[in-house]
């Protein structure tokens, strides 16, 4: 424990020195932090689940207590590099091109508007972020960022919190816990009650999400299976059992389409569900009533997609996948009841940039194909 305390103290000393050497830059960091938090509004818990998934967590939980909220997961505990990445905007050990997400390393800044103090317990690391504590170290600073300088946690000063954290670790096998104190209750309640369970669809590891607050109790389970050679993901919550069929591109396995199913047949997904995911959902309509996932570049809020070479390549792979599947259905090589229903009655969505791209792309691909229907070739 002493070694981990020394690491936190060393980082704190380093960041204090940086602040004193460049006070204007440090003040600007506070403004950037607030901008990020506003940009990510309503997406804080999505970002925390994403980070948990990257840490190979199978379980994720949100628990309220008398002083605030605890968000926890059972993934890989923090390394020294993880602690530093948490403190620094834009610093991350994640990378584009792999199976992880959050490559900008700024997602944790989204929680700034949730609480005034944030404790972090992961493995043997124990520290907290607090603006008031930071200002005491930098009395000449008019404004400071919340998430920058880590302060060492001492259980002697807050043994009740230490006991609660230990209890949650034992009962739920959590390895990393974030404790939010003096929370913005309205913001938290709105985000948790409005959490879309289909947001979990393209994550790699998270299987269970448990939301347990004073006014919200939700348990969501993600189950993956193969049925009749089809990849199926079921997302269950109370009496709801949402079933999705996943198609993957052979060109890049990250490029996927998810069709919603009911009683074994494909059905149109709700409009709110029919978005493009860059592993976590954006607000971009997919062009038809299904979900799309891939390596898409987004704006800093991760809500809107930038059409660059990465995004274009992923979307082209999806269009090829759709064209291939359409040909297989028409030629009778595969049976997918209701396959064309997500493409019907897409009205009032003309403002979506992906609607036109999707349909024009499919038509262009099909124009280059030769179909064999009942033994006769047609083009």
């Amino acid at each position: 424990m002493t070694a981990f305390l020394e690491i936190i103290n060393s980082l704190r000393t380093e960041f204090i020195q940086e602040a004193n050497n460049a006070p204007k830059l440090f003040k600007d960091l506070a403004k950037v932090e607030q901008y990020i938090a506003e940009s990510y509004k309503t997406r804080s818990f999505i970002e925390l689940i994403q980070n948990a998934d990257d840490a190979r967590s199978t379980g994720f939980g949100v628990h309220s207590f008398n002083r605030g909220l605890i968000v926890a997961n059972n993934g890989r505990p923090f390394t020294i590099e993880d602690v530093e990445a948490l403190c620094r905007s834009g610093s991350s050990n994640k990378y584009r091109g792999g199976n992880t997400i959050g490559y900008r390393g700024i997602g944790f800044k989204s929680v700034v508007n949730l609480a005034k103090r944030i404790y972090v317990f992961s493995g043997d690391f124990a520290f907290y972020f607090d603006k008031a504590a930071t200002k005491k170290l930098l009395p000449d600073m008019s404004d400071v960022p919340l998430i920058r300088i880590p302060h060492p946690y001492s259980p002697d000063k807050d043994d009740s919190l230490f006991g609660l954290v230990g209890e949650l670790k034992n009962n739920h096998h959590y390895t990393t816990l974030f404790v939010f104190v003096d929370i913005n209750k309205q913001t938290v309640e709105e985000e948790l009650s409005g959490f879309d369970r289909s947001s979990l669809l393209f994550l790699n590891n998270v299987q269970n999400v448990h939301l347990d607050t004073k006014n919200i109790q939700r348990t969501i389970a993600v189950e993956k299976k193969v049925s009749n050679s089809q990849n199926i993901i079921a997302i269950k919550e109370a009496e709801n059992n949402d079933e999705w069929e996943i198609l993957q591109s052979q060109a890049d396995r990250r490029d996927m389409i998810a069709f919603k199913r009911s009683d074994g047949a494909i059905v149109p997904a709700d409009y709110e569900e029919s978005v493009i995911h860059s592993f976590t959902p954006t607000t971009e309509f997919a062009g038809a009533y299904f979900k799309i996932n891939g390596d898409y570049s987004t704006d800093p809020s991760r809500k809107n997609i930038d059409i660059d070479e990465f995004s274009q390549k992923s979307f082209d792979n999806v269009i090829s996948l759709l064209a291939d599947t359409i040909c297989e259905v028409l030629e009778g090589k595969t049976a997918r009841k209701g396959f064309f229903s997500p493409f019907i009655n897409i009205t009032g969505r003309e403002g979506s940039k992906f609607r036109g791209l999707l349909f024009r792309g499919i038509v262009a691909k099909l124009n280059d194909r030769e179909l064999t229907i009942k033994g006769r070739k047609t083009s």
Side-chain angles (χ1 to χ4, degrees):
M1 180 70 74
T2 302
F4 293 91
L5 180 60
E6 289 177 355
I7 291 169
I8 297 301
N9 283 328
S10 176
L11 282 174
R12 184 167 71 155
T13 300
E14 178 184 341
F15 288 130
I16 291 171
Q17 184 175 351
E18 286 182 4
N20 286 324
N21 291 340
K24 290 184 178 180
L25 177 60
F26 197 73
K27 185 177 179 180
D28 287 343
L29 287 175
K31 295 179 181 178
V32 171
E33 179 182 76
Q34 191 59 44
Y35 167 75
I36 292 171
E38 291 295 332
S39 298
Y40 277 69
K41 197 171 183 179
T42 74
R43 294 177 62 87
S44 300
F45 290 100
I46 290 177
E47 291 297 323
L48 291 171
I49 291 175
Q50 167 200 299
N51 289 341
D53 191 70
D54 282 333
R56 298 187 179 90
S57 304
T58 57
F60 177 91
V62 178
H63 306 268
S64 62
F65 71 114
N66 61 338
R67 293 168 54 196
L69 201 70
I70 297 177
V71 179
N73 68 71
N74 63 357
R76 174 185 59 78
F78 275 19
T79 64
I80 298 172
E81 291 77 16
D82 292 327
V83 174
E84 186 165 6
L86 201 67
C87 297
R88 290 188 183 276
S89 260
S91 174
S92 177
N93 60 356
K94 303 171 189 176
Y95 59 93
R96 187 180 198 101
N99 290 319
T100 60
I101 46 183
Y103 56 87
R104 290 186 181 90
I106 61 175
F108 191 71
K109 302 288 185 182
S110 65
V111 305
V112 165
N113 284 339
L114 294 186
K116 294 182 179 180
R117 174 179 284 198
I118 303 171
Y119 293 90
V120 181
F121 299 91
S122 186
D124 289 318
F125 284 109
F127 58 95
Y128 66 94
F129 297 107
D130 185 292
K131 274 195 173 188
T134 298
K135 284 184 177 180
K136 285 184 179 179
L137 298 173
L138 301 165
D140 294 332
M141 296 285 181
S142 59
D143 194 13
V144 298
L146 172 64
I147 300 171
R148 185 64 170 184
I149 295 181
H151 303 280
Y153 167 79
S154 173
D156 298 333
K157 295 181 179 179
D158 203 340
D159 56 353
S160 62
L161 180 59
F162 191 73
L164 178 59
V165 167
E167 183 180 334
L168 284 173
K169 282 183 176 181
N170 292 332
N171 292 343
H172 298 275
H173 306 291
Y174 291 140
T175 52
T176 297
L177 301 92
F178 302 98
V179 182
F180 299 89
V181 176
D182 293 331
I183 62 171
N184 185 326
K185 293 182 180 180
Q186 182 177 350
T187 299
V188 169
E189 294 286 325
E190 288 177 356
E191 187 164 340
L192 290 179
S193 61
F195 178 75
D196 178 6
R197 58 181 172 269
S198 72
S199 300
L200 307 173
L201 193 61
F202 296 111
L203 297 181
N204 294 313
N205 302 295
V206 172
Q207 299 172 13
N208 295 283
V209 172
H210 185 53
L211 310 179
D212 183 15
T213 69
K214 182 179 180 181
N215 299 317
I216 298 171
Q217 289 79 42
R218 300 178 64 184
T219 297
I220 305 168
V222 180
E223 298 179 3
K224 299 179 181 181
K225 61 182 179 179
V226 178
S227 177
N228 298 322
S229 301
Q230 296 171 334
N231 294 318
I232 305 297
I233 296 179
I235 302 180
K236 301 178 180 180
E237 179 181 4
E239 302 301 318
N240 299 296
N241 186 0
D242 302 330
E243 193 172 87
W244 299 81
E245 179 182 348
I246 309 298
L247 302 183
Q248 283 185 294
S249 169
Q250 294 299 316
D252 190 327
R253 302 295 286 177
R254 296 169 300 175
D255 295 325
M256 293 177 269
I257 307 166
F259 292 95
K260 201 168 189 179
R261 303 203 330 170
S262 178
D263 296 324
I266 293 173
V267 296
D270 294 338
Y271 173 67
E272 292 76 14
E273 297 172 323
S274 304
V275 295
I276 297 178
H277 288 229
S278 185
F279 299 93
T280 52
T282 68
T283 57
E284 300 277 11
F285 179 54
Y289 297 120
F290 47 60
K291 285 182 176 291
I292 291 174
N293 181 71
D295 184 19
Y296 293 94
S297 300
T298 67
D299 66 358
S301 71
R302 288 198 234 252
K303 294 177 183 177
N304 305 297
I305 291 175
D306 296 327
I307 304 295
D308 62 6
E309 59 178 312
F310 296 102
S311 300
Q312 190 64 59
K313 185 177 180 180
S314 284
F315 201 68
D316 287 346
N317 286 340
V318 164
I319 290 174
S320 295
L321 178 59
L322 280 170
D324 290 342
T325 308
I326 289 171
C327 290
E328 290 173 1
V329 170
L330 293 177
E331 292 178 333
K333 293 179 180 179
T334 185
R336 283 192 166 85
K337 185 179 179 181
F339 175 78
F340 292 102
S341 62
F343 298 91
I344 299 172
N345 294 328
I346 306 176
T347 57
R349 314 300 182 200
E350 289 77 7
S352 165
K353 60 189 174 189
F354 288 99
R355 179 179 181 272
L357 290 173
L358 181 74
F359 281 85
R360 288 194 298 271
I362 292 172
V363 169
K365 292 287 184 182
L366 292 177
N367 282 337
D368 295 334
R369 305 293 177 91
E370 186 177 71
L371 300 177
T372 303
I373 301 177
K374 294 183 179 181
R376 299 179 61 183
K377 290 187 177 182
T378 179
S379 57

